[in-house]
PDB file of all heavy atoms in Angstrom:
ATOM      1  N   THR A  17       0.784  -1.188   0.000  1.00  0.00           N
ATOM      2  CA  THR A  17       0.036   0.028  -0.027  1.00  0.00           C
ATOM      3  C   THR A  17       0.861   1.261  -0.011  1.00  0.00           C
ATOM      4  O   THR A  17       0.436   2.237  -0.554  1.00  0.00           O
ATOM      5  CB  THR A  17      -0.924   0.061   1.198  1.00  0.00           C
ATOM      6  OG1 THR A  17      -0.147  -0.130   2.432  1.00  0.00           O
ATOM      7  CG2 THR A  17      -1.935  -1.169   1.216  1.00  0.00           C
ATOM      8  N   SER A  18       2.087   1.208   0.608  1.00  0.00           N
ATOM      9  CA  SER A  18       2.891   2.381   0.643  1.00  0.00           C
ATOM     10  C   SER A  18       4.317   2.014   0.324  1.00  0.00           C
ATOM     11  O   SER A  18       5.261   2.028   1.143  1.00  0.00           O
ATOM     12  CB  SER A  18       2.842   3.022   2.036  1.00  0.00           C
ATOM     13  OG  SER A  18       1.568   3.352   2.416  1.00  0.00           O
ATOM     14  N   PRO A  19       4.637   1.567  -0.968  1.00  0.00           N
ATOM     15  CA  PRO A  19       5.965   1.229  -1.324  1.00  0.00           C
ATOM     16  C   PRO A  19       6.948   2.328  -1.371  1.00  0.00           C
ATOM     17  O   PRO A  19       6.603   3.502  -1.370  1.00  0.00           O
ATOM     18  CB  PRO A  19       5.732   0.642  -2.707  1.00  0.00           C
ATOM     19  CG  PRO A  19       4.549   1.400  -3.328  1.00  0.00           C
ATOM     20  CD  PRO A  19       3.649   1.599  -2.109  1.00  0.00           C
ATOM     21  N   ARG A  20       8.256   1.990  -1.301  1.00  0.00           N
ATOM     22  CA  ARG A  20       9.306   2.918  -1.365  1.00  0.00           C
ATOM     23  C   ARG A  20       9.408   3.386  -2.909  1.00  0.00           C
ATOM     24  O   ARG A  20       9.106   2.567  -3.822  1.00  0.00           O
ATOM     25  CB  ARG A  20      10.557   2.296  -0.899  1.00  0.00           C
ATOM     26  CG  ARG A  20      11.787   3.300  -0.746  1.00  0.00           C
ATOM     27  CD  ARG A  20      13.062   2.588  -0.330  1.00  0.00           C
ATOM     28  NE  ARG A  20      12.967   1.929   0.878  1.00  0.00           N
ATOM     29  CZ  ARG A  20      13.267   2.458   2.059  1.00  0.00           C
ATOM     30  NH1 ARG A  20      13.690   3.671   2.144  1.00  0.00           N
ATOM     31  NH2 ARG A  20      13.156   1.788   3.134  1.00  0.00           N
ATOM     32  N   ASP A  21       9.863   4.566  -3.097  1.00  0.00           N
ATOM     33  CA  ASP A  21      10.019   5.073  -4.524  1.00  0.00           C
ATOM     34  C   ASP A  21      10.960   4.156  -5.247  1.00  0.00           C
ATOM     35  O   ASP A  21      12.084   3.818  -4.801  1.00  0.00           O
ATOM     36  CB  ASP A  21      10.520   6.447  -4.440  1.00  0.00           C
ATOM     37  CG  ASP A  21      10.827   7.051  -5.819  1.00  0.00           C
ATOM     38  OD1 ASP A  21       9.880   7.337  -6.511  1.00  0.00           O
ATOM     39  OD2 ASP A  21      12.001   7.125  -6.246  1.00  0.00           O
ATOM     40  N   ILE A  22      10.641   3.725  -6.411  1.00  0.00           N
ATOM     41  CA  ILE A  22      11.473   2.770  -7.227  1.00  0.00           C
ATOM     42  C   ILE A  22      12.864   3.361  -7.533  1.00  0.00           C
ATOM     43  O   ILE A  22      13.818   2.640  -7.459  1.00  0.00           O
ATOM     44  CB  ILE A  22      10.732   2.426  -8.530  1.00  0.00           C
ATOM     45  CG1 ILE A  22       9.462   1.702  -8.282  1.00  0.00           C
ATOM     46  CG2 ILE A  22      11.630   1.469  -9.418  1.00  0.00           C
ATOM     47  CD1 ILE A  22       9.515   0.382  -7.522  1.00  0.00           C
ATOM     48  N   GLU A  23      12.910   4.583  -7.921  1.00  0.00           N
ATOM     49  CA  GLU A  23      14.193   5.195  -8.187  1.00  0.00           C
ATOM     50  C   GLU A  23      15.119   5.144  -6.962  1.00  0.00           C
ATOM     51  O   GLU A  23      16.289   4.995  -7.058  1.00  0.00           O
ATOM     52  CB  GLU A  23      14.055   6.622  -8.704  1.00  0.00           C
ATOM     53  CG  GLU A  23      13.309   6.702  -9.997  1.00  0.00           C
ATOM     54  CD  GLU A  23      13.895   5.771 -11.172  1.00  0.00           C
ATOM     55  OE1 GLU A  23      15.167   5.679 -11.198  1.00  0.00           O
ATOM     56  OE2 GLU A  23      13.095   5.176 -11.921  1.00  0.00           O
ATOM     57  N   GLN A  24      14.458   5.364  -5.808  1.00  0.00           N
ATOM     58  CA  GLN A  24      15.296   5.336  -4.585  1.00  0.00           C
ATOM     59  C   GLN A  24      15.811   3.975  -4.314  1.00  0.00           C
ATOM     60  O   GLN A  24      16.972   3.786  -3.937  1.00  0.00           O
ATOM     61  CB  GLN A  24      14.508   5.833  -3.346  1.00  0.00           C
ATOM     62  CG  GLN A  24      15.287   5.913  -2.027  1.00  0.00           C
ATOM     63  CD  GLN A  24      14.413   6.174  -0.899  1.00  0.00           C
ATOM     64  OE1 GLN A  24      13.232   5.865  -0.841  1.00  0.00           O
ATOM     65  NE2 GLN A  24      14.966   6.919   0.155  1.00  0.00           N
ATOM     66  N   VAL A  25      15.007   2.967  -4.531  1.00  0.00           N
ATOM     67  CA  VAL A  25      15.427   1.591  -4.316  1.00  0.00           C
ATOM     68  C   VAL A  25      16.565   1.181  -5.321  1.00  0.00           C
ATOM     69  O   VAL A  25      17.580   0.629  -4.887  1.00  0.00           O
ATOM     70  CB  VAL A  25      14.187   0.569  -4.592  1.00  0.00           C
ATOM     71  CG1 VAL A  25      14.710  -0.894  -4.563  1.00  0.00           C
ATOM     72  CG2 VAL A  25      13.142   0.832  -3.537  1.00  0.00           C
ATOM     73  N   LEU A  26      16.472   1.672  -6.574  1.00  0.00           N
ATOM     74  CA  LEU A  26      17.473   1.356  -7.485  1.00  0.00           C
ATOM     75  C   LEU A  26      18.813   1.988  -7.058  1.00  0.00           C
ATOM     76  O   LEU A  26      19.911   1.381  -7.236  1.00  0.00           O
ATOM     77  CB  LEU A  26      17.117   1.933  -8.892  1.00  0.00           C
ATOM     78  CG  LEU A  26      16.029   1.174  -9.643  1.00  0.00           C
ATOM     79  CD1 LEU A  26      15.525   2.011 -10.862  1.00  0.00           C
ATOM     80  CD2 LEU A  26      16.602  -0.201 -10.202  1.00  0.00           C
ATOM     81  N   ALA A  27      18.751   3.214  -6.499  1.00  0.00           N
ATOM     82  CA  ALA A  27      19.960   3.893  -6.057  1.00  0.00           C
ATOM     83  C   ALA A  27      20.489   3.205  -4.828  1.00  0.00           C
ATOM     84  O   ALA A  27      21.730   3.000  -4.758  1.00  0.00           O
ATOM     85  CB  ALA A  27      19.643   5.312  -5.799  1.00  0.00           C
ATOM     86  N   LEU A  28      19.633   2.798  -3.930  1.00  0.00           N
ATOM     87  CA  LEU A  28      20.131   2.123  -2.667  1.00  0.00           C
ATOM     88  C   LEU A  28      20.847   0.833  -2.975  1.00  0.00           C
ATOM     89  O   LEU A  28      21.865   0.586  -2.313  1.00  0.00           O
ATOM     90  CB  LEU A  28      18.908   1.837  -1.731  1.00  0.00           C
ATOM     91  CG  LEU A  28      18.344   2.987  -0.928  1.00  0.00           C
ATOM     92  CD1 LEU A  28      17.016   2.567  -0.257  1.00  0.00           C
ATOM     93  CD2 LEU A  28      19.333   3.425   0.105  1.00  0.00           C
ATOM     94  N   VAL A  29      20.383   0.064  -4.013  1.00  0.00           N
ATOM     95  CA  VAL A  29      21.065  -1.232  -4.291  1.00  0.00           C
ATOM     96  C   VAL A  29      22.046  -1.167  -5.392  1.00  0.00           C
ATOM     97  O   VAL A  29      22.608  -2.143  -5.828  1.00  0.00           O
ATOM     98  CB  VAL A  29      20.009  -2.269  -4.532  1.00  0.00           C
ATOM     99  CG1 VAL A  29      19.064  -2.463  -3.429  1.00  0.00           C
ATOM    100  CG2 VAL A  29      19.172  -2.008  -5.778  1.00  0.00           C
ATOM    101  N   GLY A  30      22.324   0.061  -5.873  1.00  0.00           N
ATOM    102  CA  GLY A  30      23.337   0.274  -6.890  1.00  0.00           C
ATOM    103  C   GLY A  30      23.022  -0.299  -8.270  1.00  0.00           C
ATOM    104  O   GLY A  30      23.945  -0.795  -8.967  1.00  0.00           O
ATOM    105  N   LEU A  31      21.714  -0.182  -8.630  1.00  0.00           N
ATOM    106  CA  LEU A  31      21.331  -0.745  -9.987  1.00  0.00           C
ATOM    107  C   LEU A  31      20.663   0.290 -10.874  1.00  0.00           C
ATOM    108  O   LEU A  31      20.032  -0.076 -11.888  1.00  0.00           O
ATOM    109  CB  LEU A  31      20.342  -1.910  -9.804  1.00  0.00           C
ATOM    110  CG  LEU A  31      20.945  -3.211  -9.263  1.00  0.00           C
ATOM    111  CD1 LEU A  31      19.857  -4.261  -9.036  1.00  0.00           C
ATOM    112  CD2 LEU A  31      21.972  -3.824 -10.231  1.00  0.00           C
ATOM    113  N   SER A  32      20.874   1.542 -10.572  1.00  0.00           N
ATOM    114  CA  SER A  32      20.310   2.598 -11.385  1.00  0.00           C
ATOM    115  C   SER A  32      20.779   2.484 -12.866  1.00  0.00           C
ATOM    116  O   SER A  32      19.962   2.664 -13.751  1.00  0.00           O
ATOM    117  CB  SER A  32      20.627   3.994 -10.883  1.00  0.00           C
ATOM    118  OG  SER A  32      20.121   4.139  -9.578  1.00  0.00           O
ATOM    119  N   ASP A  33      22.033   2.152 -13.043  1.00  0.00           N
ATOM    120  CA  ASP A  33      22.575   2.101 -14.347  1.00  0.00           C
ATOM    121  C   ASP A  33      22.161   0.797 -15.111  1.00  0.00           C
ATOM    122  O   ASP A  33      22.409   0.689 -16.341  1.00  0.00           O
ATOM    123  CB  ASP A  33      24.102   2.241 -14.447  1.00  0.00           C
ATOM    124  CG  ASP A  33      24.778   1.087 -13.636  1.00  0.00           C
ATOM    125  OD1 ASP A  33      24.101   0.502 -12.756  1.00  0.00           O
ATOM    126  OD2 ASP A  33      25.991   0.854 -13.903  1.00  0.00           O
ATOM    127  N   ARG A  34      21.526  -0.160 -14.453  1.00  0.00           N
ATOM    128  CA  ARG A  34      21.069  -1.328 -15.009  1.00  0.00           C
ATOM    129  C   ARG A  34      19.579  -1.522 -14.923  1.00  0.00           C
ATOM    130  O   ARG A  34      19.058  -2.552 -15.105  1.00  0.00           O
ATOM    131  CB  ARG A  34      21.710  -2.540 -14.256  1.00  0.00           C
ATOM    132  CG  ARG A  34      23.229  -2.620 -14.289  1.00  0.00           C
ATOM    133  CD  ARG A  34      23.777  -2.876 -15.625  1.00  0.00           C
ATOM    134  NE  ARG A  34      23.582  -4.351 -15.951  1.00  0.00           N
ATOM    135  CZ  ARG A  34      23.675  -4.822 -17.193  1.00  0.00           C
ATOM    136  NH1 ARG A  34      23.894  -4.017 -18.197  1.00  0.00           N
ATOM    137  NH2 ARG A  34      23.542  -6.094 -17.412  1.00  0.00           N
ATOM    138  N   ARG A  35      18.886  -0.433 -14.812  1.00  0.00           N
ATOM    139  CA  ARG A  35      17.447  -0.390 -14.565  1.00  0.00           C
ATOM    140  C   ARG A  35      16.673  -1.045 -15.657  1.00  0.00           C
ATOM    141  O   ARG A  35      15.625  -1.704 -15.404  1.00  0.00           O
ATOM    142  CB  ARG A  35      16.918   0.984 -14.347  1.00  0.00           C
ATOM    143  CG  ARG A  35      17.044   1.951 -15.530  1.00  0.00           C
ATOM    144  CD  ARG A  35      16.720   3.377 -15.213  1.00  0.00           C
ATOM    145  NE  ARG A  35      15.601   3.632 -14.359  1.00  0.00           N
ATOM    146  CZ  ARG A  35      14.337   3.615 -14.747  1.00  0.00           C
ATOM    147  NH1 ARG A  35      14.045   3.417 -16.028  1.00  0.00           N
ATOM    148  NH2 ARG A  35      13.399   3.886 -13.938  1.00  0.00           N
ATOM    149  N   ASN A  36      17.171  -0.926 -16.932  1.00  0.00           N
ATOM    150  CA  ASN A  36      16.396  -1.508 -18.063  1.00  0.00           C
ATOM    151  C   ASN A  36      17.014  -2.872 -18.543  1.00  0.00           C
ATOM    152  O   ASN A  36      16.509  -3.389 -19.538  1.00  0.00           O
ATOM    153  CB  ASN A  36      16.428  -0.582 -19.202  1.00  0.00           C
ATOM    154  CG  ASN A  36      15.621   0.759 -18.868  1.00  0.00           C
ATOM    155  OD1 ASN A  36      14.532   0.593 -18.306  1.00  0.00           O
ATOM    156  ND2 ASN A  36      16.148   1.878 -19.187  1.00  0.00           N
ATOM    157  N   ALA A  37      18.032  -3.350 -17.854  1.00  0.00           N
ATOM    158  CA  ALA A  37      18.571  -4.645 -18.229  1.00  0.00           C
ATOM    159  C   ALA A  37      17.717  -5.862 -17.805  1.00  0.00           C
ATOM    160  O   ALA A  37      16.974  -5.732 -16.751  1.00  0.00           O
ATOM    161  CB  ALA A  37      19.943  -4.817 -17.518  1.00  0.00           C
ATOM    162  N   ARG A  38      17.573  -6.836 -18.677  1.00  0.00           N
ATOM    163  CA  ARG A  38      16.874  -8.021 -18.344  1.00  0.00           C
ATOM    164  C   ARG A  38      17.548  -8.825 -17.210  1.00  0.00           C
ATOM    165  O   ARG A  38      18.763  -8.866 -17.170  1.00  0.00           O
ATOM    166  CB  ARG A  38      16.691  -8.930 -19.527  1.00  0.00           C
ATOM    167  CG  ARG A  38      15.985  -8.245 -20.718  1.00  0.00           C
ATOM    168  CD  ARG A  38      14.591  -7.945 -20.472  1.00  0.00           C
ATOM    169  NE  ARG A  38      14.007  -7.128 -21.533  1.00  0.00           N
ATOM    170  CZ  ARG A  38      12.801  -6.614 -21.460  1.00  0.00           C
ATOM    171  NH1 ARG A  38      12.085  -6.659 -20.333  1.00  0.00           N
ATOM    172  NH2 ARG A  38      12.342  -5.842 -22.444  1.00  0.00           N
ATOM    173  N   VAL A  39      16.666  -9.310 -16.324  1.00  0.00           N
ATOM    174  CA  VAL A  39      17.293 -10.003 -15.122  1.00  0.00           C
ATOM    175  C   VAL A  39      18.208 -11.103 -15.600  1.00  0.00           C
ATOM    176  O   VAL A  39      19.261 -11.358 -14.968  1.00  0.00           O
ATOM    177  CB  VAL A  39      16.141 -10.595 -14.245  1.00  0.00           C
ATOM    178  CG1 VAL A  39      16.689 -11.499 -13.214  1.00  0.00           C
ATOM    179  CG2 VAL A  39      15.314  -9.409 -13.654  1.00  0.00           C
ATOM    180  N   ARG A  40      17.846 -11.836 -16.674  1.00  0.00           N
ATOM    181  CA  ARG A  40      18.738 -12.988 -17.086  1.00  0.00           C
ATOM    182  C   ARG A  40      20.077 -12.586 -17.559  1.00  0.00           C
ATOM    183  O   ARG A  40      21.053 -13.387 -17.645  1.00  0.00           O
ATOM    184  CB  ARG A  40      17.992 -13.753 -18.200  1.00  0.00           C
ATOM    185  CG  ARG A  40      17.739 -12.904 -19.504  1.00  0.00           C
ATOM    186  CD  ARG A  40      16.993 -13.696 -20.578  1.00  0.00           C
ATOM    187  NE  ARG A  40      16.582 -12.863 -21.661  1.00  0.00           N
ATOM    188  CZ  ARG A  40      17.406 -12.426 -22.637  1.00  0.00           C
ATOM    189  NH1 ARG A  40      18.704 -12.786 -22.593  1.00  0.00           N
ATOM    190  NH2 ARG A  40      16.930 -11.646 -23.560  1.00  0.00           N
ATOM    191  N   THR A  41      20.287 -11.284 -17.852  1.00  0.00           N
ATOM    192  CA  THR A  41      21.608 -10.808 -18.304  1.00  0.00           C
ATOM    193  C   THR A  41      22.549 -10.409 -17.192  1.00  0.00           C
ATOM    194  O   THR A  41      23.721 -10.007 -17.484  1.00  0.00           O
ATOM    195  CB  THR A  41      21.471  -9.680 -19.280  1.00  0.00           C
ATOM    196  OG1 THR A  41      20.964  -8.498 -18.659  1.00  0.00           O
ATOM    197  CG2 THR A  41      20.487 -10.051 -20.442  1.00  0.00           C
TER     198      THR A  41
END
């Protein structure tokens, strides 16, 4: 119901530069 902002999560886990990469890659 109250998720954390997706961009913040990407930054926290260091995946902002891989945001559009397929998981399998």
Side-chain angles (χ1 to χ4, degrees):
T17 56
S18 301
R20 191 185 297 270
D21 179 75
I22 297 298
E23 297 304 322
Q24 184 186 32
V25 174
L26 287 167
L28 280 170
V29 300
L31 286 175
S32 295
D33 61 339
R34 301 290 286 162
R35 66 191 317 278
N36 295 316
R38 301 295 173 188
V39 172
R40 60 180 172 79
T41 67

